[in-house]
Amino acid sequence: MIVVGPNQYGKAEVRLLRVDRAATAHAPTAHTLHDLNVTVTLSGAFNDVHLTGDNSAVLTTDAQKNTVFAFAAEHGVGQIEDFAARLAEHFVSSQQAVSRARVSIEEYGWTAVGGTGHSFARTGREIRTAAVTHDGTRSWTVSGLRDLVLLNSAGSEFRGFARDRYTTLAETTDRILATAVNARWRHAHPAPDWGKAYETARDTLIDAFARTHSYSLQQTLYAMGRAVLEEQPSVAEIRLSLPNKHHFDVDMAPFGVDSKGEVFYAQDRPYGLIEGTVQRDDVSPVADEVW
Amino acid sequence: MIVVGPNQYGKAEVRLLRVDRAATAHAPTAHTLHDLNVTVTLSGAFNDVHLTGDNSAVLTTDAQKNTVFAFAAEHGVGQIEDFAARLAEHFVSSQQAVSRARVSIEEYGWTAVGGTGHSFARTGREIRTAAVTHDGTRSWTVSGLRDLVLLNSAGSEFRGFARDRYTTLAETTDRILATAVNARWRHAHPAPDWGKAYETARDTLIDAFARTHSYSLQQTLYAMGRAVLEEQPSVAEIRLSLPNKHHFDVDMAPFGVDSKGEVFYAQDRPYGLIEGTVQRDDVSPVADEVW
Amino acid sequence: MIVVGPNQYGKAEVRLLRVDRAATAHAPTAHTLHDLNVTVTLSGAFNDVHLTGDNSAVLTTDAQKNTVFAFAAEHGVGQIEDFAARLAEHFVSSQQAVSRARVSIEEYGWTAVGGTGHSFARTGREIRTAAVTHDGTRSWTVSGLRDLVLLNSAGSEFRGFARDRYTTLAETTDRILATAVNARWRHAHPAPDWGKAYETARDTLIDAFARTHSYSLQQTLYAMGRAVLEEQPSVAEIRLSLPNKHHFDVDMAPFGVDSKGEVFYAQDRPYGLIEGTVQRDDVSPVADEVW
Amino acid sequence: MIVVGPNQYGKAEVRLLRVDRAATAHAPTAHTLHDLNVTVTLSGAFNDVHLTGDNSAVLTTDAQKNTVFAFAAEHGVGQIEDFAARLAEHFVSSQQAVSRARVSIEEYGWTAVGGTGHSFARTGREIRTAAVTHDGTRSWTVSGLRDLVLLNSAGSEFRGFARDRYTTLAETTDRILATAVNARWRHAHPAPDWGKAYETARDTLIDAFARTHSYSLQQTLYAMGRAVLEEQPSVAEIRLSLPNKHHFDVDMAPFGVDSKGEVFYAQDRPYGLIEGTVQRDDVSPVADEVW
């Protein structure tokens, strides 16, 4: 017999800008921006809509979008982990059919410019992310970042690897190591200050990347993940996905130029892709939907 | 204690073109193209490389890339399910540390033009995909497609949905229904002819989309998945991810134009996203890594 | 003294879908789609808005967008050259400050599927383009296409080229020649049937690419352009921009595989870029803004 | 008669990383990165290659690429205006057929991290650009930037605009003004310090955007351009292309939420596009190919 399997639905990529205009004693006209991309995903008792098109249990994705905007107006945004939690809890508690809601958010950074209090430039730094999953009883909070592009121009080797018939790569004791960090870390307990916890995790990742003398990108990945767990006791596990953004030393001998390892060709594709989890050994496994 | 969790690595997006030049009695100079994007992912006994940077078990991603090219030369490409299987089995059987290999492939279509036998135009149709996972004993084969953009300009309603405080959407008995189909179907048994099975599944998805009078995109999703399972007994389950590419009827009353439901604004973001599985009820669950 | 130089403004990328539902005797319920991306650009007496922010001459880009939708409703779309002309003439004739209007359009192709009369799949073929510039007296019409990806797997050489210190490329009598055609052709006179003229030009470009034994991509470019001018007397000149999508023969000797010129690596960047115009020698030069 | 019209060719998007490792007294091991995307375009006496495929005058685009890498090794990169000039002059002086060379460069910013002297993070700030055109006698230098995303959350009005039948936009005395600045400025004379001149121009653009009380984006554009010309006497003219990145105030009255102008929907398409030149009135016009 053919049946409905696991399913979910929601509104993806609600692009929302919240301007906080609250004057303070120190900055009577200084604005603050929250520039978000919000995705809502709901699951629960939705067999009927698949089987018969009965929409009576379906909260429209349009209403989900409205809710995102309304909550930003009514409650403000604040830290994206809090904003995601507020929304996820709302959908589960207010819709009988919804047994699990996941709200994932990307936040784009802005920095004040021009001294006007209302002028900003996009930082272009990495994108901060958060995802909160709520099932009516429990919540899972995953913070993260992506597009944090890092490069070491020294301190990276790659040698002693396995060799088979198809292995032609030369060993090296000095290569460029570059990656675009995609990291997500799951909190066993809420951080006391989500914003500070984020900045600390980001700085920890950068420092570990920079300070690890690398024999492989896997080793660097582990060092980065381990550093975050050591620094933040409330983080239970971290997942890292690190593309190896290859920079190949250009051989200029054919045209009589001594290249001395200073000029590299940055290749788009193909690229190595290293993915791994670093976790505490006493962590209970969680469902993959949480990530 | 902090430990290494699940991990994998490999070479992503090897862009390969294979030209088959074999002359036949019917077409002495007709070429055939296989235009692929191949990604290899390996997992197994790789704790040491994470913990100490010991690369002795690591088959380089460069060698993986070479292997993809070499196999295309030695064995040809043929159907991408077969090519992926050959590669996945090779990595597991030839590398002691590798306990599971996954090879996923995208194939881009070309059509002969100009009557020369060696001239082609990219079709621009949907992208065909395949992923084979092998663990030394068993193999899982998932075929699929993405970017199949479909639209019904009639036969789609959306009404009778749940209403809450934030619901403002008007009910409709006539809307545009458009999506970009992303579908993957898992084979319980190998198809007798992968190429024919693919074309049949594609046509079945299109026909089901077209012929289903839609009350919701969820219902259309289920109809599409069910049709594939009914038509191909060897398919155990199918996963569909369908963005609702919104086309909004432009209200022209403010400038005195009668719009009659003929002119629509195609919105990029946000969009609804409907995801679901259709499966046989006697199917054994498989690991998520297989998909 | 610092002054305002050349300037223009308008609404870019109005994504419009027009559904023609007109029943005919032969197809009582068959729909037709016009799926467009429309950009309006206006120029004229707009110094004041730059110098003082006086908007009294500024037709808002929002109104331009509305006009595009309204014209699609009132007049239909038809051929994009006609739709662009109608809009360009409107903006110049109805706005005193506007001395020149340019309307450029991309059209995405759809093909009927499923036999319902209202179901469609995106073809994914090349994108058809048109741009009409009107200055109150004269109009210039440029038709075109982009993303027409072509490949010859035989019939392409590259040798006898200039050599300098930095030249290391090997000569070849058999290479892959691939490109993504971007072509625009200017009509001295309106084509009797824009749709047919487009299809003919497209087929001519493909045929010329396929049938030219190529010694260089420049030569192929010229052959393609010349063929269009020979075939369509009303075309005054054609501009072609052809990226050389490099496919490199993979050298498998290092791992003992005989590659026989059948397996190629498709490189993303860098790429050659060949751009040229083919024109009638009696053509009067036109302003660059027209293109 | 059908003839060859204007044409050019070259290698596009050479992705080059130059690591300067020169130790100084202050930083014995501090590296500096130059991360570039270089495009070479040559034109001249190339009729024959179009007409007959005679490549004897054609410097291969592969050799052009090699030259870019070699010059980076032999001379270093330094300021991109200088690097582009060195390359452009080389191609014209060393190739008889080449009468004009244009070298355009994008530079991606990196900032030191981790205190190692060899570790970096991409800044993600705007992309710096330069293009030098050389014809054997004269050179034209254009500096610029793109993707500088700016936003004012106050100090922007839009009212008093022209109204026609299709104008429905409400006037406003308080809107979000946001754009992604694309600016190119042409130097009448070389700047004494290209790097400092760039940073100054960038800061001037930002300051002018922030400090201009805006009645229209055109007015802001002019203020930005004028500020650069006032600040840098050596700049002859500046071209600005400013998309109006619309942020629409979300109307929450339908669900009973008072929105107070704090929550906005960021729309992708369509968008206004404002383009203009600000120049000195005694500037001699230059060919469009220079830009």
Side-chain angles (χ1 to χ4, degrees):
Chain A
M1 213 177 88
I2 296 171
V3 297
V4 179
N7 60 83
Q8 56 185 18
Y9 82 107
K11 193 64 119 192
E13 304 208 30
V14 179
R15 288 286 289 110
L16 175 158
L17 178 75
R18 175 62 154 87
V19 181
D20 288 353
R21 306 179 188 268
T24 68
H26 296 286
T29 62
H31 293 186
T32 307
L33 302 187
H34 300 274
D35 187 12
L36 310 183
N37 192 7
V38 182
T39 295
V40 175
T41 311
L42 308 179
S43 54
F46 293 108
N47 271 18
D48 281 358
V49 64
H50 289 84
L51 295 172
T52 69
D54 175 353
N55 292 312
S56 58
V58 175
L59 183 71
T60 67
T61 66
D62 191 72
Q64 297 171 31
K65 174 202 68 180
N66 288 344
T67 308
V68 171
F69 285 127
F71 273 45
E74 294 185 297
H75 311 288
V77 165
Q79 298 296 325
I80 53 177
E81 287 85 354
D82 291 326
F83 189 57
R86 196 174 297 126
L87 284 162
E89 288 161 16
H90 165 78
F91 290 119
V92 175
S93 66
S94 66
Q95 292 295 315
Q96 206 180 342
V98 175
S99 55
R100 194 184 67 213
R102 183 174 192 271
V103 176
S104 62
I105 302 180
E106 296 186 337
E107 181 167 21
Y108 312 110
W110 293 84
T111 188
V113 294
T116 65
H118 60 252
S119 302
F120 302 89
R122 271 278 293 265
T123 64
R125 268 179 34 163
E126 79 284 348
I127 294 166
R128 178 179 169 184
T129 65
V132 173
T133 307
H134 181 70
D135 73 355
T137 311
R138 293 159 302 168
S139 286
W140 296 266
T141 305
V142 175
S143 301
L145 58 79
R146 65 176 177 80
D147 296 345
L148 172 62
V149 183
L150 301 177
L151 183 148
N152 280 330
S153 54
S156 175
E157 313 188 14
F158 191 50
R159 55 195 174 86
F161 40 75
R163 306 200 77 89
D164 71 354
R165 174 184 176 188
Y166 304 104
T167 302
T168 58
L169 190 71
E171 305 209 330
T172 177
T173 57
D174 187 17
R175 65 168 182 175
I176 299 280
L177 185 69
T179 189
V181 182
N182 186 328
R184 289 167 295 151
W185 50 95
R186 189 171 65 78
H187 302 271
H189 312 288
D193 179 336
W194 292 117
K196 189 176 165 192
Y198 174 76
E199 289 296 329
T200 303
R202 174 191 182 269
D203 292 346
T204 301
L205 289 166
I206 292 174
D207 269 13
F209 177 86
R211 295 187 179 165
T212 300
H213 183 91
S214 178
Y215 296 100
S216 73
L217 188 45
Q218 282 91 330
Q219 175 215 4
T220 294
L221 179 152
Y222 181 72
M224 293 169 75
R226 183 179 182 91
V228 171
L229 265 64
E230 285 176 341
E231 195 280 334
Q232 297 204 30
S234 61
V235 174
E237 49 183 333
I238 181 169
R239 292 189 176 187
L240 290 147
S241 175
L242 302 184
N244 192 343
K245 295 173 77 75
H246 303 304
H247 288 73
F248 295 117
D249 199 346
V250 180
D251 176 16
M252 306 197 197
F255 30 96
V257 173
D258 181 11
S259 62
K260 297 171 293 184
E262 291 175 329
V263 177
F264 302 86
Y265 159 56
Q267 184 180 271
D268 297 302
R269 296 190 292 184
Y271 52 91
L273 183 58
I274 313 298
E275 300 174 290
T277 305
V278 183
Q279 59 194 30
R280 303 187 193 283
D281 63 349
D282 57 352
V283 71
S284 305
V286 299
D288 226 55
E289 290 83 359
V290 159
W291 285 96
Chain B
M1 216 176 86
I2 296 171
V3 297
V4 179
N7 60 83
Q8 57 185 19
Y9 82 107
K11 192 65 118 192
E13 303 207 31
V14 178
R15 288 285 289 110
L16 175 158
L17 179 74
R18 175 63 155 88
V19 181
D20 288 353
R21 304 179 189 270
T24 66
H26 296 287
T29 63
H31 292 186
T32 307
L33 302 186
H34 300 273
D35 186 12
L36 309 184
N37 192 7
V38 182
T39 294
V40 175
T41 311
L42 307 180
S43 54
F46 292 108
N47 270 19
D48 281 358
V49 64
H50 289 84
L51 295 171
T52 69
D54 175 353
N55 292 312
S56 58
V58 175
L59 183 72
T60 67
T61 65
D62 191 72
Q64 297 170 32
K65 174 203 70 181
N66 288 343
T67 308
V68 172
F69 285 127
F71 273 45
E74 294 185 297
H75 312 288
V77 165
Q79 297 296 324
I80 54 176
E81 286 85 354
D82 291 325
F83 189 58
R86 197 174 298 127
L87 284 161
E89 287 160 17
H90 165 78
F91 291 118
V92 175
S93 67
S94 64
Q95 292 294 316
Q96 204 179 343
V98 175
S99 55
R100 194 185 66 214
R102 184 175 191 270
V103 176
S104 63
I105 301 181
E106 296 187 338
E107 182 167 22
Y108 311 111
W110 293 84
T111 188
V113 295
T116 65
H118 60 252
S119 302
F120 302 88
R122 272 276 293 264
T123 64
R125 267 180 35 164
E126 79 285 347
I127 293 166
R128 178 179 169 185
T129 65
V132 174
T133 306
H134 181 70
D135 72 354
T137 311
R138 293 159 301 169
S139 286
W140 296 265
T141 304
V142 175
S143 302
L145 57 81
R146 64 176 178 81
D147 296 344
L148 172 63
V149 184
L150 301 177
L151 184 149
N152 279 330
S153 54
S156 175
E157 313 189 14
F158 191 51
R159 55 196 174 84
F161 40 75
R163 307 200 77 90
D164 71 355
R165 176 185 173 187
Y166 304 104
T167 303
T168 59
L169 189 71
E171 306 208 326
T172 176
T173 56
D174 186 17
R175 65 168 182 174
I176 299 279
L177 186 69
T179 191
V181 181
N182 185 328
R184 289 168 294 153
W185 50 95
R186 188 170 66 79
H187 302 271
H189 311 289
D193 178 335
W194 292 118
K196 188 175 167 192
Y198 174 76
E199 288 297 329
T200 303
R202 173 192 183 268
D203 292 347
T204 302
L205 288 167
I206 292 174
D207 268 13
F209 177 86
R211 294 187 182 165
T212 301
H213 184 92
S214 177
Y215 295 101
S216 74
L217 187 46
Q218 282 91 330
Q219 175 215 3
T220 294
L221 179 152
Y222 180 72
M224 294 168 74
R226 183 178 182 92
V228 171
L229 266 63
E230 285 177 341
E231 195 279 335
Q232 297 203 28
S234 61
V235 175
E237 49 183 332
I238 181 169
R239 292 189 177 187
L240 290 147
S241 176
L242 303 183
N244 192 342
K245 296 174 77 74
H246 303 304
H247 288 74
F248 295 116
D249 198 346
V250 180
D251 176 16
M252 305 196 196
F255 30 96
V257 172
D258 181 11
S259 61
K260 296 171 293 181
E262 291 175 328
V263 177
F264 301 86
Y265 160 55
Q267 184 179 64
D268 297 301
R269 296 190 294 185
Y271 52 92
L273 182 59
I274 313 299
E275 300 173 290
T277 305
V278 183
Q279 59 195 28
R280 302 190 194 281
D281 63 350
D282 57 353
V283 72
S284 306
V286 298
D288 227 54
E289 289 84 357
V290 158
W291 284 96
Chain C
M1 215 176 89
I2 296 170
V3 297
V4 179
N7 60 84
Q8 57 185 17
Y9 82 107
K11 192 65 117 192
E13 302 206 32
V14 178
R15 289 285 290 111
L16 175 158
L17 178 75
R18 174 64 155 86
V19 181
D20 288 351
R21 306 181 188 269
T24 67
H26 296 285
T29 62
H31 293 185
T32 308
L33 302 186
H34 301 274
D35 187 12
L36 308 184
N37 192 7
V38 182
T39 295
V40 176
T41 313
L42 308 180
S43 54
F46 293 108
N47 271 19
D48 281 359
V49 64
H50 289 85
L51 295 171
T52 68
D54 175 352
N55 292 313
S56 58
V58 175
L59 183 72
T60 67
T61 65
D62 192 72
Q64 297 170 31
K65 174 202 70 182
N66 288 344
T67 308
V68 171
F69 287 127
F71 273 46
E74 294 185 297
H75 311 288
V77 165
Q79 297 296 323
I80 55 176
E81 287 85 354
D82 291 326
F83 189 57
R86 196 174 297 126
L87 285 161
E89 287 161 17
H90 165 79
F91 290 119
V92 175
S93 66
S94 66
Q95 292 294 316
Q96 206 180 341
V98 175
S99 55
R100 195 183 66 214
R102 184 175 191 270
V103 176
S104 64
I105 302 180
E106 296 185 338
E107 182 166 22
Y108 311 110
W110 293 84
T111 188
V113 295
T116 65
H118 60 253
S119 302
F120 302 88
R122 271 277 293 265
T123 63
R125 267 180 35 161
E126 79 284 348
I127 293 167
R128 178 178 170 185
T129 66
V132 174
T133 307
H134 180 70
D135 73 356
T137 310
R138 292 160 301 171
S139 287
W140 296 266
T141 305
V142 175
S143 301
L145 57 79
R146 63 177 180 80
D147 296 345
L148 172 63
V149 184
L150 301 177
L151 184 147
N152 280 330
S153 54
S156 175
E157 313 189 11
F158 191 49
R159 55 194 173 87
F161 40 74
R163 307 199 77 89
D164 71 355
R165 175 183 174 188
Y166 304 104
T167 303
T168 58
L169 190 70
E171 305 209 329
T172 177
T173 57
D174 187 17
R175 65 169 181 175
I176 299 280
L177 185 69
T179 189
V181 182
N182 185 328
R184 289 166 295 151
W185 49 95
R186 188 171 65 79
H187 302 271
H189 312 289
D193 178 336
W194 293 117
K196 188 177 166 192
Y198 174 76
E199 288 296 330
T200 303
R202 174 191 182 270
D203 292 347
T204 301
L205 288 166
I206 292 173
D207 269 12
F209 176 86
R211 295 186 181 167
T212 300
H213 184 91
S214 178
Y215 296 100
S216 73
L217 188 46
Q218 282 91 330
Q219 175 215 4
T220 293
L221 178 152
Y222 180 72
M224 293 168 75
R226 183 179 182 92
V228 171
L229 266 63
E230 284 177 341
E231 195 278 334
Q232 297 204 29
S234 62
V235 175
E237 49 183 334
I238 181 169
R239 293 188 175 187
L240 290 148
S241 175
L242 303 184
N244 192 342
K245 297 173 76 76
H246 303 304
H247 288 73
F248 295 116
D249 198 347
V250 180
D251 176 16
M252 305 195 196
F255 29 97
V257 171
D258 181 11
S259 61
K260 296 171 294 181
E262 291 175 329
V263 176
F264 301 86
Y265 159 55
Q267 184 180 272
D268 297 302
R269 295 191 294 183
Y271 51 92
L273 182 58
I274 313 298
E275 300 174 290
T277 305
V278 183
Q279 59 195 29
R280 302 189 194 281
D281 62 350
D282 58 351
V283 72
S284 305
V286 298
D288 226 56
E289 290 83 357
V290 158
W291 284 96
Chain D
M1 214 176 90
I2 296 171
V3 297
V4 179
N7 61 84
Q8 56 185 20
Y9 82 107
K11 192 65 118 191
E13 303 207 30
V14 178
R15 289 284 291 111
L16 175 158
L17 178 75
R18 174 62 155 88
V19 181
D20 289 352
R21 304 178 189 270
T24 68
H26 297 286
T29 61
H31 292 186
T32 307
L33 302 187
H34 300 274
D35 187 11
L36 308 185
N37 192 7
V38 182
T39 295
V40 175
T41 312
L42 307 180
S43 54
F46 293 108
N47 270 19
D48 280 0
V49 64
H50 289 84
L51 295 172
T52 69
D54 175 353
N55 291 314
S56 57
V58 175
L59 183 72
T60 68
T61 66
D62 191 71
Q64 297 170 32
K65 174 203 69 182
N66 288 344
T67 308
V68 172
F69 286 128
F71 272 46
E74 294 185 296
H75 312 288
V77 165
Q79 297 296 323
I80 54 176
E81 287 84 355
D82 291 325
F83 189 57
R86 195 173 299 127
L87 284 161
E89 287 161 17
H90 165 78
F91 290 119
V92 175
S93 66
S94 65
Q95 291 295 316
Q96 205 180 342
V98 175
S99 55
R100 196 184 65 214
R102 184 175 191 270
V103 176
S104 63
I105 302 182
E106 297 186 337
E107 182 167 22
Y108 312 109
W110 293 84
T111 189
V113 295
T116 65
H118 59 253
S119 301
F120 303 88
R122 271 277 293 265
T123 64
R125 265 179 37 161
E126 79 284 348
I127 294 166
R128 177 178 170 185
T129 66
V132 173
T133 307
H134 180 70
D135 73 355
T137 310
R138 294 160 300 169
S139 287
W140 296 266
T141 305
V142 175
S143 301
L145 57 78
R146 64 176 179 79
D147 295 345
L148 172 63
V149 184
L150 301 176
L151 184 149
N152 280 329
S153 55
S156 175
E157 313 191 12
F158 191 50
R159 55 195 173 85
F161 40 74
R163 306 199 76 91
D164 72 353
R165 176 184 175 189
Y166 304 104
T167 303
T168 58
L169 190 71
E171 305 208 329
T172 177
T173 57
D174 187 17
R175 66 168 180 174
I176 299 280
L177 185 69
T179 189
V181 181
N182 185 328
R184 288 167 295 153
W185 49 95
R186 187 170 65 78
H187 302 272
H189 312 288
D193 178 334
W194 292 118
K196 187 175 166 192
Y198 174 76
E199 288 296 330
T200 303
R202 174 191 182 269
D203 292 348
T204 302
L205 289 167
I206 292 174
D207 268 14
F209 177 86
R211 294 185 181 167
T212 301
H213 184 91
S214 178
Y215 295 101
S216 73
L217 187 47
Q218 282 91 330
Q219 175 215 2
T220 293
L221 179 151
Y222 180 72
M224 294 169 75
R226 182 178 183 92
V228 171
L229 266 64
E230 285 177 340
E231 196 279 334
Q232 297 203 28
S234 61
V235 174
E237 49 183 333
I238 181 168
R239 292 189 176 186
L240 290 147
S241 176
L242 302 184
N244 193 342
K245 295 173 77 76
H246 303 304
H247 289 74
F248 295 116
D249 199 347
V250 181
D251 176 16
M252 306 197 196
F255 31 95
V257 173
D258 180 10
S259 62
K260 296 170 295 183
E262 291 175 327
V263 177
F264 301 86
Y265 159 56
Q267 184 180 273
D268 297 301
R269 296 191 294 183
Y271 52 92
L273 182 59
I274 314 298
E275 300 174 289
T277 305
V278 184
Q279 59 195 31
R280 303 190 194 279
D281 62 349
D282 57 353
V283 72
S284 305
V286 298
D288 227 56
E289 289 84 357
V290 159
W291 284 96

